[in-house]
């Protein structure tokens, strides 16, 4: 899994270096909420945030491919555990974006695509029935590797943008339970 993530990052870097001149590096920060969904998910929302970089590769006047690399937090609150479960990932989203001019200097971007993520660290889980485990422990914890879909809307100004993003995991966190990551929030960007 580590090799796959490394290969994706290297491919994105190579692709980025050959981009057109009107493409821009963007610093992204965002905050919102995350939880777990699925038939085995009885959870409440948890605060989540993200920070990272994206590179807007203009394919045409209205269409772009936007790969990125981000540090994201996800997690949830549940009555089955004492407190909350937090998970921190290195995430690589790849958006396909269609940009609609709204006025001079402003565009509406509609974007969607896949993401892959690797769990870096997380909280310790203390079960109400007793026992503790680390969130990404191979003996009783969640799988470190996550893959899913991400979508969003944003308003782009000269060098700034603001938008909403929603991501949904497509891989079970644990093979024994039907639980998938989800997160949504507001994202701010600054183009260099």
């Amino acid at each position: 899994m580590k090799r796959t993530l490394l290969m994706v990052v290297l491919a994105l870097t190579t692709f980025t270096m050959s981009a057109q001149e009107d493409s821009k590096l963007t610093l992204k920060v965002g905050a919102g909420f995350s939880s777990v969904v699925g038939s085995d998910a009885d959870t409440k929302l948890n605060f989540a945030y993200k920070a990272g970089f994206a590179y807007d590769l203009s394919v045409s006047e209205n269409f772009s491919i936007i790969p990125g690399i981000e540090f994201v937090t996800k997690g949830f609150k549940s009555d089955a555990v004492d407190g909350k479960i937090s998970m921190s990932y290195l995430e690589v989203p790849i958006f396909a974006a269609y940009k609609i001019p709204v006025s001079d200097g402003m565009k509406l971007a509609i974007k969607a695509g896949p993401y892959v993520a690797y769990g870096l660290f997380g909280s310790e889980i203390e079960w109400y029935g007793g026992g503790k485990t680390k969130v990404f422990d191979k003996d009783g914890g969640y799988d470190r590797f996550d893959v899913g879909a991400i979508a969003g809307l944003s308003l782009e100004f000269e060098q700034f943008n603001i938008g909403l993003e929603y991501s949904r995991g497509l891989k079970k966190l644990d093979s024994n339970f039907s639980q998938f990551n989800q997160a949504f929030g507001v994202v701010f960007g600054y183009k260099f």
Side-chain angles (χ1 to χ4, degrees):
M1 299 300 168
K2 290 180 186 178
R3 287 183 183 167
T4 303
L5 186 59
L6 181 61
M7 296 286 284
V8 169
V9 170
L10 288 174
L12 291 174
T13 303
T14 303
F15 188 61
T16 299
M17 291 171 68
S18 64
Q20 298 178 7
E21 285 187 28
D22 59 346
S23 300
K24 300 287 183 187
L25 180 66
T26 302
L27 172 65
K28 290 175 62 175
V29 294
F33 297 97
S34 66
S35 67
V36 173
V37 294
S39 59
D40 294 327
D42 182 20
T43 64
K44 299 171 186 141
L45 295 176
N46 189 44
F47 177 75
Y49 62 91
K50 66 169 55 184
F53 292 94
Y55 203 88
D56 192 325
L57 301 164
S58 298
V59 176
S60 70
E61 188 176 330
N62 296 94
F63 185 73
S64 292
I65 301 296
I66 308 172
I69 188 161
E70 303 170 348
F71 174 80
V72 301
T73 62
K74 296 182 181 180
F76 58 92
K77 295 178 186 174
S78 173
D79 293 334
V81 296
D82 186 15
K84 65 180 180 178
I85 293 178
S86 57
M87 300 170 278
S88 298
Y89 291 92
L90 181 63
E91 189 169 281
V92 178
I94 303 173
F95 287 105
Y98 185 74
K99 299 180 180 184
I100 304 164
V102 176
S103 67
D104 287 342
M106 184 169 68
K107 292 181 180 180
L108 172 67
I110 302 166
K111 53 191 180 177
Y115 75 82
V116 293
Y118 182 77
L120 300 172
F121 53 88
S123 62
E124 187 171 72
I125 304 169
E126 186 170 345
W127 302 99
Y128 273 124
K132 292 181 181 181
T133 186
K134 292 190 177 181
V135 77
F136 292 125
D137 188 353
K138 56 185 163 192
D139 299 321
Y142 291 135
D143 190 348
R144 285 184 182 273
F145 185 70
D146 190 23
V147 62
I150 188 165
L153 289 172
S154 63
L155 281 175
E156 297 183 354
F157 305 95
E158 295 290 324
Q159 287 184 283
F160 299 96
N161 63 60
I162 182 170
L164 300 171
E165 288 182 2
Y166 172 78
S167 65
R168 166 71 154 75
L170 300 175
K171 184 176 182 300
K172 291 181 181 179
L173 290 172
D174 182 330
S175 60
N176 298 319
F177 300 102
S178 179
Q179 297 178 331
F180 305 88
N181 274 323
Q182 81 168 350
F184 59 93
V186 178
V187 178
F188 301 94
Y190 176 77
K191 288 186 179 184
F192 293 94

